[in-house]
Amino acid sequence: MSKFELHKYSGMRYEPNQIISFSDNTSFSASDIDEKMKNHIGVSAVHVKEMEQQEFDYFITNYGDNFESIYFFHNTKVKDLSALSKLKKVKYLLFYNFRSKSLWDMSENESLRGIMISDSKKMIYNLEQMQYAPNLEELLLFSTTFNKYCVKSITPLKKCKKLKRLFIEFNTEDKSFIPEEFNYLDEFKYQCDRKRNFTY
């Protein structure tokens, strides 16, 4: 039985006071976001969708650390994730359908325990920043369109000293990758390129 804590947040039924939608915003306004956030006081997990870049930056900077878990859903207009580097208290970050071309500096995300990234092609190509997350324990990387996604290399994840659970369902450009190198993990599943027809 899987022990991924991330599954609790990816599969949970979010109540109305846990869902933050920005689809009704025609333009960025800090006061509008402040007013919107009054409806989400006291919740530990939120589901955030349809943000613009300015909204994302303001939300993370001013409210991000109020939550234990943040599930970013279908925020295709957010391209720069650098604001996430400021988070000190968030434990779990989940992303679905992002178009950012890179990750962020995780070196100061001291409380971060788990990351899930799904259907975010460019975001997962280079995993280098993962190795700097000081307390990362869980990582879920997958896609509903498996054969269109590719990771440059999985090797950087070996430098995640606290990593315990890893699930990867992507192609990889690194043909020298040896799955057995991750046998030390408590839980590990890797499904690679369909041409190689390999599941570990």
Side-chain angles (χ1 to χ4, degrees):
M1 184 176 179
S2 176
K3 296 181 179 179
F4 272 91
E5 189 72 12
L6 280 164
H7 287 317
K8 180 173 76 174
Y9 300 105
S10 62
M12 75 182 290
R13 180 180 180 275
Y14 288 84
E15 299 298 329
N17 68 331
Q18 294 177 298
I19 298 174
I20 307 173
S21 176
F22 288 82
S23 60
D24 56 341
N25 287 19
T26 56
S27 61
F28 170 75
S29 168
S31 59
D32 286 346
I33 295 177
D34 292 338
E35 186 64 29
K36 183 186 293 287
M37 293 308 298
K38 291 179 181 179
N39 298 320
H40 308 284
I41 296 173
V43 298
S44 61
V46 288
H47 186 280
V48 186
K49 57 184 181 180
E50 299 181 325
M51 281 182 164
E52 301 276 351
Q53 183 68 55
Q54 282 183 300
E55 293 167 341
F56 176 82
D57 293 340
Y58 185 85
F59 170 79
I60 293 299
T61 300
N62 294 277
Y63 296 100
D65 269 332
N66 291 354
F67 308 105
E68 180 177 284
S69 169
I70 306 175
Y71 190 160
F72 295 103
F73 185 86
H74 197 63
N75 294 274
T76 57
K77 295 183 180 180
V78 176
K79 305 296 175 63
D80 181 1
L81 302 179
S82 58
L84 296 174
S85 64
K86 304 171 184 176
L87 296 176
K88 302 287 188 182
K89 299 179 181 179
V90 173
K91 291 184 177 180
Y92 300 98
L93 291 172
L94 299 87
F95 304 87
Y96 172 78
N97 196 10
F98 258 67
R99 294 181 183 174
S100 170
K101 294 182 179 180
S102 62
L103 296 171
W104 67 98
D105 179 1
M106 303 182 189
S107 60
E108 295 187 15
N109 295 149
E110 300 169 356
S111 297
L112 188 60
R113 296 294 186 271
I115 299 173
M116 184 198 85
I117 303 175
S118 173
D119 292 293
S120 303
K121 182 177 181 180
K122 296 179 181 179
M123 186 175 170
I124 54 86
Y125 177 69
N126 190 336
L127 302 178
E128 288 286 337
Q129 290 293 344
M130 297 283 187
Q131 64 186 300
Y132 303 114
N135 296 301
L136 188 65
E137 297 178 353
E138 301 182 355
L139 186 58
L140 284 169
L141 303 174
F142 62 96
S143 166
T144 56
T145 53
F146 176 86
N147 61 333
K148 295 182 179 181
Y149 288 71
C150 184
V151 176
K152 181 179 181 181
S153 174
I154 299 170
T155 302
L157 301 182
K158 291 195 295 183
K159 298 180 180 179
C160 296
K161 302 300 182 183
K162 301 290 183 68
L163 194 64
K164 297 179 180 179
R165 291 172 285 277
L166 173 62
F167 178 92
I168 297 180
E169 193 177 52
F170 284 132
N171 298 334
T172 178
E173 292 180 354
D174 185 3
K175 302 307 178 183
S176 64
F177 171 65
I178 302 174
E180 288 80 3
E181 293 178 348
F182 285 87
N183 274 345
Y184 63 92
L185 296 176
D186 294 346
E187 193 172 343
F188 173 54
K189 182 176 180 181
Y190 171 64
Q191 183 161 346
C192 70
D193 192 305
R194 284 177 175 171
K195 293 181 180 178
R196 296 172 69 187
N197 192 28
F198 181 77
T199 300
Y200 182 83

